Amino acid sequence: MYAFVRLPIEVRRESNPMAIQGDLDLYDNDPSDEGIDDISLGSEGLRNAVLYNTDWTVETVLNQISKGTIDLAPSFQRRDAWSLEVKSLFIESILLNFPVPSITLAETGSSKKFIVVDGKQRLSTLAQFFGNLPSSKFDKFKLRGLEDLRHLNSMDFDAICEFDPDLITQLENYTIRTNVIRGWKDDDVLYSIFYRLNSKTVKLSSQELRQSLHPGPYTVWLNEYAPDSFALRKLFPGPEPDFRLRDMEILARYLAFYFFVEDYSGNLKKFIDKSFSVLNRDWVSMQSRVQDAAVEFEESYALSTQIFSESLPFRKWNGDGWENRFNRAIFDAVMYSLKKSDDRRKISENCDVVLSLFKEVCLDPDFRGSIERTTKTTTALVMRTNKWCESLKSIGIECSLLRLYGRRIVFEK
């Protein structure tokens, strides 16, 4: 059993280093989201995984990034969590020889390449400051907001090289504690470490690690599509795409249920992981279908805002008013009912009636139980989907209901 300790980036300051964009807390702590409860670690998987502690200099780390040995993932070119001020303070901490948190990497088989389990923002900040990420908007950034080394404010890497090259040497020789996980056979080992490392800080979505574990054309498409999606930018507002990748995770969730709902067994993480494996493998034959489903996603979201207003889609009615928190279980049920274009047309003609029906179903004890408590079970998924779809029959909507045969979900004929 290994203990992972996260040290503060700045022991002198009690500011939040993540510089979170917007107020997105309404999307967190949802029992329908992925989490550590989706993980089942066997003793064999834990026994195979070995953790090595090593000390790499900044120069060594940058060399590994330049060679592609450490994969920072393309998502970080558009999804930076840290502001320039926080990036600058991180560089200042190193120049002052202050302790910074360790990074955790997972070695991938015989290739000797590394997946970043924890520390991407620190690594990307170093690479950007040294000018090693030319496609990043922060590449070769100028320091600002420094307190102890104020004379370096407005200087970038090249300017400091001219001003005091010894500072750059000091920066390159700074040692970063690096934890390397080797011999892991099960992705759950990495997910478990990932969740535990981030449990006391900003909650990151599973999608960040999933992108590294499941590379391929579908993953690339999702990464490129999500930042420009009208629906996702409305769901996760902010000046930049959501740095936690929750927009990608929501769309991936939708597409997984859209294509593979009959394969769902109650473990959400494994279900979405498998959808990535299949869609990456079969991308040539599935690409057009996925793109069509994405169009339906956009149209279904637009209709949901027509029914509930832009501020209320996928919220729960409690009898007196709307709850603020985004509910992924409601998202599943409502979006499932909007899959067909004919159904969307009928619903758009009866928005007031549909809104009343939704308020009624939210007060149904069985429906409420399926969106509030053990929301990820197959029973809960079938319950909420069918309760909502059955309520729509009064306006002529005939959704395909789901049925359980043992643990298997099937469409009712």
Side-chain angles (χ1 to χ4, degrees), residues 335-379:
M335 293 295 278
Y336 177 84
S337 70
L338 302 177
K339 285 174 65 173
K340 298 178 182 177
S341 57
D342 287 344
D343 291 344
R344 290 197 296 271
R345 178 182 54 78
K346 291 178 184 177
I347 289 173
S348 68
E349 294 169 355
N350 297 275
C351 286
D352 291 341
V353 176
V354 173
L355 183 60
S356 297
L357 291 172
F358 183 78
K359 288 181 177 181
E360 289 178 15
V361 80
C362 276
L363 301 180
D364 180 292
D366 291 332
F367 183 82
R368 287 184 70 87
S370 72
I371 64 172
E372 291 177 343
R373 295 188 290 274
T374 53
T375 61
K376 290 187 280 191
T377 66
T378 52
T379 302

Side-chain angles (χ1 to χ4, degrees), residues 12 24 26 67 81 96 116 133-134 230 232 242 248 252 264 276 280 283 307 311 353 357 364 379 408 413:
R12 302 163 296 161
L24 295 175
L26 299 180
K67 293 192 301 183
L96 292 170
V116 182
L133 291 180
F230 174 82
L232 294 175
D242 180 44
M248 293 176 63
Y264 184 63
F276 270 74
N280 277 318
W283 185 243
I307 300 166
S311 60
V353 176
L357 291 172
D364 180 292
T379 302
R408 180 172 173 77
K413 296 182 180 178

Side-chain angles (χ1 to χ4, degrees), residues 1-2 4 36 39-51 181-194 196:
M1 194 72 181
Y2 301 103
F4 294 88
I36 201 164
I39 293 173
S40 177
L41 282 175
S43 58
E44 185 67 23
L46 288 171
R47 189 160 50 242
N48 288 331
V50 178
L51 178 69
I181 307 164
R182 291 175 176 161
W184 53 278
K185 305 295 183 183
D186 188 338
D187 290 356
D188 277 359
V189 173
L190 301 189
Y191 276 109
S192 180
I193 294 171
F194 176 81
R196 293 172 193 277

Side-chain angles (χ1 to χ4, degrees), residues 55-70:
D55 290 329
W56 281 357
T57 65
V58 167
E59 185 178 31
T60 301
V61 168
L62 291 171
N63 187 40
Q64 298 286 345
I65 293 172
S66 296
K67 293 192 301 183
T69 308
I70 297 177

